[in-house]
Amino acid sequence: QKKISELIKFNDEAHSFGKIKQGNPVTYDFTFTNISKEPVVIERAQASCGCTTPKWPQEAIMPGKTAVINVGYNAASVAPFEKSISVKVAGVEDMLNLKISGEVLEAGAWESEVKAKEVAKAKEAPVKKTAAPAAKTNKPVAKKTATPAKKS
């Protein structure tokens, strides 16, 4: 019996969106490569709930080629979340689980969070004081010559 791990390899099997704003759907591309010597077909990618929508390639993935399972999350409910997407490969009994997670914040709380991060980042960033470079021109510099004083 073949195993998924012998046929395809994902760059990562979990993704955290961090803190996201309620009502702003997010997506993530889980990239994978066919590491076998034969074409691989993803039969389905099934989410653990209706708030998560996976899209997978319908055509066979040739050996050595990469493809993507795009996973969307609707961010409708204010709460932390962790969702799984079960991936079924043709001819393989076991399934592979991809995971997405994060925390949906109410718009006002999300904006406060973003501003707090910007302020913290600004405080951490060292202030660099650099002198402005002298203006460059292509004109030759005029040489000043001393004129001898006239005797009277």
Side-chain angles (χ1 to χ4, degrees):
Q1 181 66 38
K2 293 178 189 171
K3 294 184 177 188
I4 288 182
S5 61
E6 297 167 350
L7 302 177
I8 61 175
K9 171 98 174 102
F10 279 87
N11 289 358
D12 52 356
E13 294 179 16
H15 176 72
S16 172
F17 289 107
K19 295 181 181 188
I20 57 178
K21 187 176 179 180
Q22 182 182 18
N24 276 11
V26 290
T27 62
Y28 183 75
D29 287 339
F30 286 97
T31 303
F32 66 95
T33 304
N34 176 349
I35 59 171
S36 74
K37 295 185 183 341
E38 55 195 58
V40 170
V41 174
I42 304 292
E43 281 185 358
R44 70 179 180 274
Q46 186 171 346
S48 58
C49 96
C51 58
T52 306
T53 51
K55 293 177 191 162
W56 63 96
Q58 302 301 305
E59 68 283 347
I61 312 306
M62 295 296 141
K65 298 296 180 187
T66 60
V68 163
I69 294 178
N70 175 275
V71 178
Y73 181 70
N74 69 8
S77 301
V78 173
F81 66 92
E82 187 171 302
K83 305 295 175 185
S84 62
I85 301 89
S86 300
V87 178
K88 173 77 171 84
V89 173
V92 179
E93 215 173 285
D94 65 330
M95 294 176 78
L96 177 118
N97 281 319
L98 302 174
K99 294 192 182 313
I100 59 169
S101 61
E103 183 178 3
V104 178
L105 300 176
E106 178 271 330
W110 181 82
E111 287 164 10
S112 296
E113 185 78 23
V114 169
K115 285 180 184 164
K117 279 184 182 176
E118 287 173 358
V119 168
K121 198 173 185 180
K123 285 181 180 175
E124 288 175 12
V127 178
K128 291 183 181 178
K129 292 185 180 181
T130 55
K136 293 184 179 179
T137 63
N138 291 331
K139 293 180 184 176
V141 177
K143 291 183 182 176
K144 292 183 179 178
T145 53
T147 37
K150 291 183 183 176
K151 293 182 182 177
S152 23

